[in-house]
Short mmCIF file of all heavy atoms in Angstrom, two decimals:
data_model
loop_
_atom_site.label_atom_id
_atom_site.label_comp_id
_atom_site.label_asym_id
_atom_site.label_seq_id
_atom_site.Cartn_x
_atom_site.Cartn_y
_atom_site.Cartn_z
N LYS A 338 96.61 -48.50 64.30
CA LYS A 338 97.29 -47.27 63.81
C LYS A 338 96.24 -46.17 64.08
O LYS A 338 95.07 -46.34 63.73
CB LYS A 338 97.54 -47.44 62.33
CG LYS A 338 98.63 -46.53 61.82
CD LYS A 338 99.07 -47.00 60.46
CE LYS A 338 98.38 -46.24 59.35
NZ LYS A 338 98.77 -46.60 58.03
N VAL A 339 96.66 -45.00 64.67
CA VAL A 339 95.77 -43.97 64.99
C VAL A 339 96.23 -42.69 64.29
O VAL A 339 97.43 -42.39 64.34
CB VAL A 339 95.66 -43.74 66.49
CG1 VAL A 339 94.70 -42.65 66.88
CG2 VAL A 339 95.22 -45.06 67.22
N ASN A 340 95.27 -41.92 63.78
CA ASN A 340 95.60 -40.65 63.22
C ASN A 340 94.37 -39.78 63.30
O ASN A 340 93.23 -40.25 63.55
CB ASN A 340 96.03 -40.72 61.77
CG ASN A 340 96.98 -39.61 61.40
OD1 ASN A 340 96.88 -38.46 61.86
ND2 ASN A 340 97.99 -39.92 60.57
N LYS A 341 94.51 -38.46 63.10
CA LYS A 341 93.37 -37.54 63.23
C LYS A 341 93.24 -36.69 61.97
O LYS A 341 94.29 -36.29 61.37
CB LYS A 341 93.64 -36.65 64.42
CG LYS A 341 92.55 -35.57 64.68
CD LYS A 341 92.81 -34.84 65.99
CE LYS A 341 93.68 -33.65 65.63
NZ LYS A 341 93.77 -32.66 66.77
N LYS A 342 92.07 -36.35 61.60
CA LYS A 342 91.85 -35.41 60.52
C LYS A 342 90.56 -34.54 60.90
O LYS A 342 89.59 -35.09 61.36
CB LYS A 342 91.56 -36.12 59.25
CG LYS A 342 91.39 -35.18 58.07
CD LYS A 342 91.60 -35.76 56.72
CE LYS A 342 91.40 -34.73 55.62
NZ LYS A 342 91.76 -35.28 54.33
N VAL A 343 90.74 -33.25 60.68
CA VAL A 343 89.70 -32.33 60.95
C VAL A 343 89.02 -32.03 59.60
O VAL A 343 89.63 -31.70 58.68
CB VAL A 343 90.19 -31.04 61.59
CG1 VAL A 343 89.06 -30.02 61.78
CG2 VAL A 343 90.84 -31.33 62.95
N ILE A 344 87.72 -32.19 59.66
CA ILE A 344 86.88 -31.87 58.48
C ILE A 344 85.87 -30.83 58.84
O ILE A 344 85.54 -30.60 59.99
CB ILE A 344 86.16 -33.14 57.89
CG1 ILE A 344 85.19 -33.78 58.95
CG2 ILE A 344 87.19 -34.17 57.41
CD1 ILE A 344 84.36 -34.86 58.37
N THR A 345 85.30 -30.15 57.83
CA THR A 345 84.27 -29.16 58.00
C THR A 345 82.98 -29.65 57.41
O THR A 345 82.94 -30.01 56.21
CB THR A 345 84.62 -27.83 57.44
OG1 THR A 345 85.93 -27.39 57.95
CG2 THR A 345 83.60 -26.76 57.65
N ILE A 346 81.98 -29.74 58.26
CA ILE A 346 80.55 -30.14 57.83
C ILE A 346 79.64 -29.00 58.17
O ILE A 346 79.55 -28.69 59.34
CB ILE A 346 80.21 -31.44 58.48
CG1 ILE A 346 81.20 -32.58 58.24
CG2 ILE A 346 78.76 -31.86 58.08
CD1 ILE A 346 81.14 -33.19 56.87
N ASP A 347 78.93 -28.49 57.19
CA ASP A 347 77.97 -27.43 57.47
C ASP A 347 78.59 -26.33 58.34
O ASP A 347 77.98 -25.88 59.38
CB ASP A 347 76.70 -27.98 58.12
CG ASP A 347 75.99 -29.00 57.26
OD1 ASP A 347 76.11 -28.87 55.99
OD2 ASP A 347 75.31 -29.85 57.73
N GLU A 348 79.75 -25.91 58.01
CA GLU A 348 80.47 -24.86 58.67
C GLU A 348 80.87 -25.15 60.06
O GLU A 348 81.26 -24.25 60.89
CB GLU A 348 79.74 -23.48 58.56
CG GLU A 348 79.49 -23.05 57.16
CD GLU A 348 78.69 -21.75 57.05
OE1 GLU A 348 78.58 -21.05 58.08
OE2 GLU A 348 78.17 -21.51 55.99
N LYS A 349 80.84 -26.44 60.47
CA LYS A 349 81.27 -26.84 61.80
C LYS A 349 82.44 -27.77 61.64
O LYS A 349 82.48 -28.62 60.78
CB LYS A 349 80.15 -27.61 62.53
CG LYS A 349 78.95 -26.78 62.81
CD LYS A 349 77.90 -27.60 63.53
CE LYS A 349 76.68 -26.64 63.78
NZ LYS A 349 75.41 -27.31 63.63
N GLU A 350 83.43 -27.59 62.53
CA GLU A 350 84.63 -28.50 62.45
C GLU A 350 84.40 -29.69 63.27
O GLU A 350 83.86 -29.68 64.39
CB GLU A 350 85.87 -27.72 62.98
CG GLU A 350 86.39 -26.63 62.03
CD GLU A 350 87.77 -26.12 62.40
OE1 GLU A 350 88.12 -26.21 63.62
OE2 GLU A 350 88.48 -25.72 61.51
N VAL A 351 84.75 -30.83 62.66
CA VAL A 351 84.64 -32.14 63.33
C VAL A 351 86.03 -32.78 63.25
O VAL A 351 86.63 -32.97 62.21
CB VAL A 351 83.62 -33.03 62.62
CG1 VAL A 351 83.52 -34.36 63.30
CG2 VAL A 351 82.28 -32.33 62.52
N SER A 352 86.58 -33.17 64.46
CA SER A 352 87.85 -33.80 64.50
C SER A 352 87.58 -35.29 64.56
O SER A 352 86.88 -35.82 65.51
CB SER A 352 88.52 -33.37 65.73
OG SER A 352 89.80 -34.08 65.90
N LEU A 353 88.05 -36.01 63.50
CA LEU A 353 87.89 -37.44 63.46
C LEU A 353 89.17 -38.14 63.91
O LEU A 353 90.25 -37.95 63.31
CB LEU A 353 87.57 -37.87 62.05
CG LEU A 353 86.33 -37.27 61.38
CD1 LEU A 353 86.14 -37.75 59.99
CD2 LEU A 353 85.05 -37.50 62.17
N LEU A 354 89.07 -38.87 64.95
CA LEU A 354 90.25 -39.68 65.52
C LEU A 354 90.02 -41.09 64.96
O LEU A 354 89.14 -41.82 65.39
CB LEU A 354 90.22 -39.67 67.01
CG LEU A 354 91.44 -40.35 67.70
CD1 LEU A 354 92.71 -39.59 67.28
CD2 LEU A 354 91.27 -40.40 69.18
N LEU A 355 90.81 -41.40 63.94
CA LEU A 355 90.68 -42.64 63.20
C LEU A 355 91.55 -43.78 63.74
O LEU A 355 92.75 -43.53 63.80
CB LEU A 355 90.90 -42.42 61.71
CG LEU A 355 90.09 -41.30 61.05
CD1 LEU A 355 90.51 -41.06 59.64
CD2 LEU A 355 88.60 -41.76 61.05
N TRP A 356 90.95 -44.94 64.05
CA TRP A 356 91.68 -46.04 64.56
C TRP A 356 91.57 -47.12 63.45
O TRP A 356 90.51 -47.67 63.20
CB TRP A 356 91.05 -46.65 65.85
CG TRP A 356 91.30 -45.80 67.03
CD1 TRP A 356 91.12 -44.47 67.15
CD2 TRP A 356 91.70 -46.31 68.32
NE1 TRP A 356 91.42 -44.05 68.48
CE2 TRP A 356 91.74 -45.21 69.21
CE3 TRP A 356 91.99 -47.55 68.79
CZ2 TRP A 356 92.07 -45.29 70.51
CZ3 TRP A 356 92.31 -47.68 70.11
CH2 TRP A 356 92.41 -46.59 71.01
N ASP A 357 92.74 -47.46 62.87
CA ASP A 357 92.81 -48.51 61.87
C ASP A 357 93.28 -49.78 62.58
O ASP A 357 94.42 -49.87 63.01
CB ASP A 357 93.88 -48.10 60.80
CG ASP A 357 94.15 -49.16 59.76
OD1 ASP A 357 93.35 -50.14 59.68
OD2 ASP A 357 95.17 -49.04 59.06
#
Side-chain angles (χ1 to χ4, degrees):
K338 201 165 99 178
V339 179
N340 210 323
K341 179 176 90 168
K342 183 163 182 170
V343 176
I344 61 173
T345 303
I346 303 287
D347 298 333
E348 300 179 16
K349 295 180 182 143
E350 287 193 333
V351 181
S352 175
L353 303 178
L354 187 62
L355 303 172
W356 287 48
D357 175 16

